[in-house]
Amino acid sequence: MRNHQYKVVKVDAAAWQSQADLHQDVALALDFPDYYGSNLDALNDCLGDVAGTV
C-alpha cells in the first residue's frame, strides 16, 4: 500500500481486553477528534473522515 502512496497505520491489538481498548488505540493512532463516540457507528464515521482527507 505504501508503494501506492497510501499512509499505513499499524495498531497492535495483542493487549486488547475489550472493545474500549480497541476504540482507544484506534482513535489515538488515527488522531480522531475528542468527540469520538467510541462505538462502531462513530468508528465508521471517523474512518470515512480519515479516508476523505487523504
Side-chain angles (χ1 to χ4, degrees):
M1 297 301 288
R2 286 186 180 108
N3 292 339
H4 296 284
Q5 309 309 313
Y6 285 93
K7 180 179 178 184
V8 176
V9 177
K10 291 184 179 184
V11 180
D12 184 3
W16 293 351
Q17 298 288 318
S18 66
Q19 286 186 19
D21 295 335
L22 170 145
H23 290 287
Q24 180 180 357
D25 284 357
V26 170
L28 182 62
L30 296 176
D31 196 28
F32 284 177
D34 291 338
Y35 59 82
Y36 172 62
S38 296
N39 60 60
L40 293 180
D41 287 332
L43 178 62
N44 184 52
D45 289 345
C46 284
L47 286 176
D49 291 345
V50 169
T53 63
V54 179

